[in-house]
Amino acid sequence: NAGVTQTPKFQVLKTGQSMTLQCAQDMNHEYMSWYRQDPGMGLRLIHYSVGAGITDQGEVPNGYNVSRSTTEDFPLRLLSAAPSQTSVYFCASSSRLATGEQFFGPGTRLTVL
Amino acid sequence: RKEVEQDPGPFNVPEGATVAFNCTYSNSASQSFFWYRQDCRKEPKLLMSVYSSGNEDGRFTAQLNRASQYISLLIRDSKLSDSATYLCVVKTGGFKTIFGAGTRLFVKA
């Protein structure tokens, strides 16, 4: 039981490049989310999904896209990377019966030059 | 004003000390409350939920004061392994979950 996995662990991009951050969970959780964490700020919700085929925007969705074709996977796409997107990205999942307990992946440290 | 505010610290305490963190939230309609723990360069992990009647888990005690809109976490008999950042988390209706920026704790021998 791997829990929530994320790839890659580290990534450096140039401004304007695009990429996809991968997230997968093996707990059969309905809910999945993407957060970014910046120094001095709490985790901020980017996008979330309450089930396969259903996604919605969080607090800071601009510049990011998501899709949820399966229960297990929830990739985050950066369309055209900007230095302001330099951050640590965490994917999380939770059961619909206990949405307060979120299980986080190990994070992706992204630097945009 | 931030929706969830925490004293960033750091709190530097000796082993065996008792330390308390407070967190205030602005949305009176908030429904659920939690403390998460985050070790340096690691992912957050749920420490405990916070109930209106207060709850305890070993050396950790969490309290909720809805009238004043604050949550507290008390750690007794601090251990070196308690050194971490403690995140206050507030959930309103639906899926909206707000994380505080965290309070850093250093426990020294």
Side-chain angles (χ1 to χ4, degrees):
Chain A
N1 192 341
V4 180
T5 58
Q6 290 183 237
T7 56
K9 285 189 166 49
F10 302 93
Q11 183 70 50
V12 178
L13 293 177
K14 294 181 180 178
T15 297
Q17 287 184 313
S18 62
M19 78 160 295
T20 299
L21 279 60
Q22 301 292 343
C23 173
Q25 54 94 6
D26 61 2
M27 296 174 282
N28 203 31
H29 283 165
E30 297 87 352
Y31 290 10
M32 295 187 75
S33 310
W34 276 102
Y35 293 88
R36 60 177 288 173
Q37 187 175 35
D38 301 294
M41 304 184 74
L43 280 79
R44 290 182 293 168
L45 183 64
I46 304 171
H47 285 285
Y48 67 95
S49 169
V50 298
I54 306 170
T55 64
D56 206 346
Q57 295 182 350
E59 180 186 357
V60 288
N62 292 341
Y64 308 94
N65 271 356
V66 292
S67 60
R68 182 109 179 260
S69 56
T70 67
T71 298
E72 295 78 19
D73 299 299
F74 191 43
L76 178 72
R77 281 181 288 279
L78 277 71
L79 309 173
S80 177
S84 60
Q85 293 179 304
T86 294
S87 189
V88 181
Y89 291 84
F90 288 103
C91 178
S93 74
S94 61
S95 165
R96 66 178 177 82
L97 298 177
T99 59
E101 182 173 11
Q102 298 192 61
F103 294 84
F104 285 83
T108 294
R109 295 183 176 275
L110 175 68
T111 301
V112 182
L113 303 174
Chain B
R1 180 187 173 190
K2 292 181 181 178
E3 291 191 66
V4 176
E5 296 207 59
Q6 296 183 249
D7 181 343
F11 285 64
N12 293 288
V13 302
E15 271 188 297
T18 295
V19 62
F21 309 136
N22 287 332
C23 164
T24 58
Y25 60 94
S26 61
N27 188 340
S28 59
S30 299
Q31 298 176 349
S32 307
F33 309 89
F34 310 89
W35 284 102
Y36 277 68
R37 171 192 168 127
Q38 185 173 24
D39 293 312
C40 187
R41 301 177 75 84
K42 298 286 190 180
E43 71 273 21
K45 293 182 180 179
L46 179 67
L47 178 66
M48 59 196 301
S49 301
V50 186
Y51 303 116
S52 296
S53 55
N55 48 298
E56 192 173 302
D57 183 1
R59 297 181 293 107
F60 299 82
T61 300
Q63 298 274 357
L64 167 63
N65 185 320
R66 284 190 183 271
S68 301
Q69 295 182 203
Y70 79 81
I71 307 149
S72 64
L73 177 68
L74 182 77
I75 305 175
R76 292 182 300 278
D77 189 22
S78 298
K79 312 291 185 190
L80 294 175
S81 57
D82 293 334
S83 296
T85 297
Y86 291 84
L87 309 176
C88 173
V89 180
V90 175
K91 191 170 181 295
T92 59
F95 197 76
K96 187 175 181 183
T97 301
I98 307 297
F99 283 77
T103 297
R104 296 187 71 185
L105 172 65
F106 293 103
V107 181
K108 299 185 177 181

